[in-house]
Amino acid sequence: MSSSIVEAESILAVDIGSVFTRALLFDVVEERYRMIATAQVRSTIGAPFFDISESIFQALTRLEEITGRHLMEEAHLILPTQDDGSGVDRFVLTFSAGQPLRVVAMGLLEDVSLASARKVLESTYCHIVEQISLNDRRKPEAQIDAILRARPDLVLIAGGTDQGATRSMAKLIDLLVLTLQLLPPESRPDVLYAGNTAITKQVTDRLEPFVRPHVVPNVRPNIDQENLLPAQEKLSEIVYLRRSHQLGGLQSYSTISSVTPQPSLRAFGRMIQFLNKLSGTSQGVLGIDLGSATTGVAAARQEIFSMLALPFGSGYGLAAALERTPLESITRWLPMHVPDEMVRDYLWHRTLYPAAVPQGLEFQAIEQAMLRQTLALVANRISSEEGIYGFEPILVSGYALTQALSPAQALLTLLDGLQPIGVTTFILDPYGLLTALGAIAPLNPTLVVQTLESNALLNLGTVIAPISAARYGTPILKVRYELENGETSTVDVRQGMLVPLPIPNGQRARLHLHPLRPLHLTPTGKDTTRSFRITGGLLGAVIDARGRPLELPSDSARRRDLLKRWMAALGS
Amino acid sequence: MTMILPAHHILPLAHLRRLRLLNGKGRVLVRPGQMVEATDVIAEAPAPGQHLLLDVRKALGVQRVSEAEQLIERQVGERVEKGDILAQTRGLFARILRAPVAGQVVAIYKGQILLETQPQPYRLLAGLPGQIAEVFPERGAIVETHGALIQGVWGNQQNNHGLLTMLAETPDAPLKADLLDLTLRGSVIVGGTCDQAEALKSAAEIPVRGIILGSLSAPLLPLATDLNLPVILLEGIGQIPINRLAFQLLNTNQKREVYLQASWNPALSEKPEIVIPLPAEGKAPEEAVEVAPGRTVRIILPPHAGVIGKIIQPHSTVLLRSGQRIPAAEVELENSQRVTVPLFNLDIIA
């Protein structure tokens, strides 16, 4: 994979998160694009600034200090690059900060069109505040009152296969038209129509006296087919339009941005799609961006691509994660005794301070325990039945996992939380590179490819997690690995063990698995190969023979002892 | 690089300007220079009431929408009383559609009449006694006053005011049900910590006008959220005593009228506030301050949560065990102990 530079340009990418604002500077070094420097500061979307400009200014000041390059003139970004080398050629902006869009979803059938509508809405920062369908037994006036009370930013209408139902759709539209009449023009929501294309004209004619609807192809053109992407793309634009009124300064930065500012998850997802294509395999690529307010998930496998903006995270979204998690699911991950009340109170206290950093071993352990459960929530949403398997690699972004933990702590947290099955490589993105590159990709694909080749992402290592019914302590596997220099080693693996393979970082090795007991590497047991090549990561490679689902001893002392042994195995 | 952080206010006297805005457009009822009480309405906006949809075609037995619309005798905006005729057919055996309730015709669409009943206008209150400093037509106004200001970290979205009564003799004194009696009716009470549901329930039964606590145990958050009186936490969740500065300030203002604004939006870094109007003129508080030696700070996370200290030396980065480099400060606590604390874990008091 290599590309030549036709016309070199420097690019500044800024991501506005709910807690942190990140700036990444890209330029050409020795004829190849590189990420030159990054800076991270607190976001200033709230009091007392209420404007993203302040955090961008602080981040650029930091970049100027790091690089010695003059980027601003009187607090304004210099665009394009000047003869004296100051400034940058292009600027791109992504954002995840801001309130989720309040959405009313309208559709015909709960399990068909509304289900598709929900998938569209889950792909970005939305909160479904009301749903209306034919299954809804409320009177029309009660539905009108419900929409008014919901104060939506957006109404998404889905329903009717192409050439399908028209009368029922007309009823829904009439209901919406009546509701819109009750709202002053400045309070009316955006309307996105993604239903039966055969009646698009009638729908827009009815709505246009009150709002100018956004129209996209049907999300459910027929009962067995979904077409979510056009609606997702349009939704990203609507999110930007709404956020541009919420986030001070966003509009003014959009005027200097080379592309319209876009939701961070959209850019992140674009990179996951790109990496999936680049891999040329059918295994699929999974991206998890565990943010403060939202956890973004992007999964691409063959031609299937999906995005999820899950409403929980490590900071602003911690309360939502806690509400979904029994306390004992968190405390079971603690390697020391901490009273339940202390764990509970600390985590709820932590919800009030999304940017704070845990101090002291006990509190760090509590937060890492919570991270495991948050990842378990993510894994459950990705695949509640089969578990996480086969993705190669899994890319992980977000401050809590990539910066607040050591590499060994991060890998163990990911393994405990996601519990992947089979062969998976974990790659950390500590600088938010994937989001930045996803925003840059339409402008300069060469920059994307060359930056990815520059090792700006951290390979933690490949994990092989076999499934075996053998009893704890039984030898189940012999692993032989050959390094590039011809050196060969063999390791015996027992059921329940976590075994690191000391393959040097960046070095290729061939692994041969020799099962000593029946085991498999996929949930279905249909394994193909037991011999494959891997590249050593920061932690070499790891055999995780602890079983799936991972079961912890009920006896507290034994459980803590086991957790400590696993931590020691990875040196965390 | 100069590090600037938002200030957390614990101020004995300040000049306060508080913006009160409607969500949408409405009518502003005050003028610049006008004196207002906390319960005065600054602006009001129409808020939708209940709706009733009447199908004229069905009621009058006509087929076509156009025919039904010709029979409607009311226009959008008209008020009707119960029994008033809304639509009728002509002839000997005329059919009549009457208003089943009093209300206003708010929409007529495709042969249907939408009636709105019991609209309750949304009223925006001043929240503080003071003077109207500025008016934003159709949106709201700025109220200004002088007094003590203490910001909290959590509030239950309610607002009220009353006489400040210290029930906590020490910053960590728990609020207990047996401390509460009817003499506290109308008071805003202050406790150090609280882990007793009975204490909150008793306070609501009396009723007191508001509750200020250092901290509250997590299981009581839903109860506190649902109370019909403001609850403000100054430090957070758990068993964290009120910080010394806030405790002293509350203590010195006992029996004064205190205004609790427990409505806040954490996503915008807003904070619930306690305001004690005073007959003296203060200065406008600093909203963002430079991290510098000598600054008073409060530590927000355990093991020193709620402890006040002074910055000895800020550091642009320190290395944590995780390998992470973050800005921090060396802080001298009030017991002379020195600790290095990430800046993200500090509130700068100003």
Side-chain angles (χ1 to χ4, degrees), chain A residues 472-484:
Chain A
Y472 181 83
T474 311
I476 58 165
L477 183 66
K478 197 179 274 292
V479 180
R480 185 165 59 84
Y481 59 94
E482 302 160 12
L483 301 179
E484 281 173 328

Side-chain angles (χ1 to χ4, degrees), chain B residues 251-323:
Chain B
N251 236 341
T252 54
N253 282 287
Q254 286 214 59
K255 299 302 170 196
R256 286 190 199 275
E257 197 71 5
V258 57
Y259 294 80
L260 271 53
Q261 292 272 318
S263 50
W264 62 307
N265 182 353
L268 291 179
S269 309
E270 291 175 356
K271 294 179 176 177
E273 291 187 339
I274 300 161
V275 175
I276 308 166
L278 295 169
E281 292 208 351
K283 286 193 301 188
E286 289 178 284
E287 295 299 343
V289 286
E290 188 183 335
V291 180
R295 284 281 187 194
T296 302
V297 294
R298 180 184 64 159
I299 299 176
I300 59 177
L301 277 199
H304 300 292
V307 174
I308 299 289
K310 280 214 184 306
I311 292 181
I312 301 298
Q313 186 61 49
H315 302 291
S316 56
T317 60
V318 293
L319 182 64
L320 301 186
R321 275 182 71 235
S322 63

Side-chain angles (χ1 to χ4, degrees), chain A residues 47 65 145 345 349 353 357 399, chain B residues 51 218 235 268 300 324 345:
Chain A
E65 287 172 0
D145 287 341
D345 283 346
H349 182 70
Y353 301 102
V357 180
Y399 179 88
Chain B
H51 291 89
E235 313 300 332
L268 291 179
I300 59 177
Q324 180 189 9
N345 295 8

Side-chain angles (χ1 to χ4, degrees), chain A residues 417-430:
Chain A
L418 296 176
Q419 301 191 22
I421 297 165
V423 182
T424 305
T425 302
F426 282 95
I427 294 178
L428 292 190
D429 173 21

Side-chain angles (χ1 to χ4, degrees), chain A residues 48 83 180 223 298 393 443 453-454 522 539:
Chain A
D83 292 341
L180 292 172
I223 200 80
L443 299 172
E453 288 172 344
S454 69
T522 67
L539 300 164

Side-chain angles (χ1 to χ4, degrees), chain A residues 10 28 80 85 89 161 165 290 296 298 335 360-361 371 375 405 411 418 421 465 496 543 566:
Chain A
S10 55
V28 175
D89 292 309
T161 54
L290 202 154
L361 287 177
L371 273 177
L375 287 168
L405 304 178
L411 183 60
L418 296 176
I421 297 165
I543 310 291
W566 289 341

